[in-house]
Amino acid sequence: MRSFRSVMLFAFLLVCAGAAFATIFGTVQGVVHDAQHRPIAGASVIVKSATSDWSRTAETDGNGEFKIEAVPVGDYIVTVSRTGFNTLEQKITVISDSSPVLHFPLEIASVNQKVTVTAEAETANVDSVTPTTLVDRNDVARTPGADRTNSLQMITDYVPGAYVTHDQLHIRGGHQVSWLIDGVPIPNTNIASNLGPQIDPKDIDYLEVMRGSYDAEYGDRTYGVFNVVPRMGWERNSEADIVTSFGNFGQTNDELNFGGHTERFAYFGSLNGNRSDLGLETPVSQVLHDAENGYGGFASLIFNADPKDQLRLVTSLRRDYYQIPYDPNPNDSENQQFNSSELRDGQHESDAVVDFSWVRTIRSNMLLTVSPFFHYNSADYAGAPNDFPISTTDNRASRYAGGQATFSVSAAKNDAQFGLYG
């Protein structure tokens, strides 16, 4: 019996050998003190998103210290106040898996005078050697073309070393990239077969791009890591938008989105569609059969069950079609045997993602995240029946179901993370 248990334990460890600690959360912690660096106890600390109504509060202890766990990636305004001192506001940027100690110096208030001191922005990832680019939805909305459904300009316009060639996204010279949504990896064996992005840029709140020097948890063949923080509805108040654009070559990109929130619940959803006569090739006269079209949907839900438990659901669905362009006047005499206008090869792609996360704040210095997921992806190439000398068909599909669990703990000035991914 003991031997059998040992074998089962060994098999379990093999199955769970792949560790994954990625999240979309960081920790905001710091020390509030006066001009003489004496700690200030009982100070009120409010961390509020710079782009939505999301906020958390804390109070400093006897050492002037505070800590707020499970703060999503993004830009925030920290407001520190205490009776007898001027209120301090400081802008910070939170990066995933970061927890540096920030300092908030308060000045003694003058009699009958209220002053708000605004400090320069500080990025809360000063302990990391990983070069990181953070793109938010306002950047995407202000950049022409970056919010198109089938565009990767939200990356190539902002991320150094990123470009599209051979119909694939490359970064730092390679196209092996890792995508995560809500901190959960999106496994995909069709990485060299898919032509379009899996997620509509208009559904992204923040895109965190790690460009190297990242931990081994992301693998040894990854040239870039794209961590998507989806829109959750905290920036809406039962609102809906219709976004549409039209251009040359029959181009249109359209989306209907809606969202809202209460104190404990937030939701966001969208439906989108796109088409263009300018698909895989440049718009030159000798290229025909170059249209593309697609449609999709996206939804996210977040529920704060209690102060310690948060439930998050993200789901996305896409369907895309690309015509394979051809030259109507081939110079090869052998190909003159058939009518090239009958070439009608096409690429059909489907993608579906469902991620559910339970975020549990065990104590002020302990955080547990459990995330089961499902991902379906297909890339089907269908040749026209009149292709000469042969009609090619290449269908690829993959289905993944699994989960990720991450446990983070902070003690004194040390942080530790443990995780399993399968």
Side-chain angles (χ1 to χ4, degrees), residues 107-387:
E107 299 178 355
I108 297 178
S110 302
V111 179
N112 297 326
Q113 185 178 11
K114 182 179 179 181
V115 179
T116 299
V117 180
T118 302
E120 294 296 325
E122 184 170 350
T123 302
N125 70 331
V126 294
D127 294 337
S128 174
V129 298
T130 302
T132 302
T133 299
L134 193 63
V135 183
D136 64 37
R137 66 172 184 274
N138 293 323
D139 295 330
V140 174
R142 289 193 295 258
T143 304
D147 65 345
R148 288 185 292 120
T149 300
N150 232 1
S151 173
L152 291 170
Q153 284 184 237
M154 65 174 177
I155 297 175
T156 57
D157 284 352
Y158 288 96
V159 179
Y163 56 93
V164 175
T165 185
H166 307 306
D167 304 319
Q168 296 293 319
L169 174 66
H170 289 66
I171 183 170
R172 298 168 50 237
H175 66 260
Q176 290 287 113
V177 299
S178 297
W179 282 89
L180 300 86
I181 185 167
D182 219 23
V184 182
I186 305 176
N188 180 19
T189 54
N190 287 326
I191 188 171
S193 301
N194 295 120
L195 304 176
Q198 296 168 317
I199 302 168
D200 193 313
K202 294 184 286 295
D203 297 327
I204 292 176
D205 197 15
Y206 286 90
L207 176 65
E208 181 187 48
V209 183
M210 288 169 274
R211 310 192 304 273
S213 299
Y214 33 72
D215 297 336
E217 67 199 65
Y218 296 105
D220 61 352
R221 296 188 61 198
T222 297
Y223 289 84
V225 178
F226 302 94
N227 193 4
V228 174
V229 182
R231 296 181 67 173
M232 284 290 182
W234 290 112
E235 79 284 2
R236 304 312 250 331
N237 186 16
S238 299
E239 300 173 9
D241 287 337
I242 296 179
V243 182
T244 185
S245 65
F246 302 91
N248 295 334
F249 306 101
Q251 295 187 62
T252 181
N253 276 268
D254 312 300
E255 182 183 74
L256 168 66
N257 62 59
F258 49 91
H261 71 276
T262 64
E263 291 184 359
R264 299 173 58 193
F265 177 72
Y267 65 92
F268 177 84
S270 70
L271 298 172
N272 61 68
N274 66 283
R275 79 164 307 278
S276 174
D277 292 329
L278 169 56
L280 301 180
E281 292 293 339
T282 54
V284 290
S285 59
Q286 66 268 28
V287 174
L288 298 178
H289 196 250
D290 193 23
E292 65 178 13
N293 59 72
Y295 57 89
F298 179 88
S300 65
L301 304 173
I302 184 171
F303 177 62
N304 295 316
D306 54 54
K308 291 183 176 295
D309 296 288
Q310 183 182 89
L311 305 177
R312 307 168 67 93
L313 177 67
V314 178
T315 181
S316 174
L317 175 66
R318 281 214 55 77
R319 176 72 174 174
D320 290 287
Y321 171 67
Y322 299 87
Q323 293 179 347
I324 307 303
Y326 65 89
D327 184 349
N329 298 305
N331 296 321
D332 188 347
S333 59
E334 180 182 348
N335 290 335
Q336 297 291 345
Q337 303 176 36
F338 69 100
N339 184 0
S340 62
S341 64
E342 295 179 355
L343 291 174
R344 286 296 181 268
D345 293 5
Q347 173 90 353
H348 298 263
E349 298 181 6
S350 299
D351 192 274
V353 177
V354 180
D355 286 341
F356 175 81
S357 293
W358 169 46
V359 183
R360 170 76 173 181
T361 304
I362 301 174
R363 296 173 58 184
S364 62
N365 65 333
M366 296 182 183
L367 183 69
L368 174 66
T369 304
V370 179
S371 305
F373 65 84
F374 172 79
H375 182 221
Y376 169 79
N377 185 276
S378 68
D380 299 339
Y381 185 99
N386 295 325
D387 282 3

